[in-house]
Amino acid sequence: MSALATYLLAAGAEIAGCFAFWAWLRLGKSALWLLPGVISLVLFAWLLTRAEADFAGRAYAAYGGIYILSSLAWMALVEGVRPDRWDLIGGALCLSGALIILLAPRGGA
């Protein structure tokens, strides 16, 4: 699986897991929401270890940009709130940084 696909799946798992806790604590949902939330967060951690990267720090840095863009997509698709232009500009900047980290030619100086 490509690094980008792994990051996208990891982002979906992390956001879903965190949203389960958000729903329980902020939206008054049942504590039963925590079980799928914990499972989703474990899946997220496992997926992130599957990313093709020489160093954990580089994998996490690249993932950050993908996570931000995925969070904005979640806000639009799940929460029904359309990102504004500042969300989109910030997301594009973060995604650009993540792609530079992911796709930069490595080796040499």
Side-chain angles (χ1 to χ4, degrees):
M1 180 176 343
S2 74
L4 185 57
T6 301
Y7 286 138
L8 288 170
L9 289 171
E14 183 180 11
I15 294 166
C18 290
F19 185 76
F21 280 79
W22 179 279
W24 171 55
L25 290 171
R26 302 281 301 264
L27 302 178
K29 300 292 183 183
S30 163
L32 293 174
W33 276 65
L34 297 178
L35 181 60
V38 168
I39 292 168
S40 188
L41 289 171
V42 169
L43 176 63
F44 148 71
W46 179 80
L47 283 166
L48 202 52
T49 67
R50 309 279 50 116
E52 294 294 326
D54 293 334
F55 304 99
R58 188 171 288 148
Y60 303 156
Y63 168 72
I66 306 301
Y67 176 82
I68 290 168
L69 195 65
S70 298
S71 297
L72 294 174
W74 176 278
M75 184 174 73
L77 298 172
V78 175
E79 297 181 273
V81 177
R82 185 174 180 194
D84 64 24
R85 68 178 169 168
W86 300 110
D87 294 325
L88 297 175
I89 292 169
L93 286 170
C94 293
L95 183 60
S96 296
L99 289 174
I100 289 169
I101 292 168
L102 277 174
L103 304 176
R106 304 278 182 215

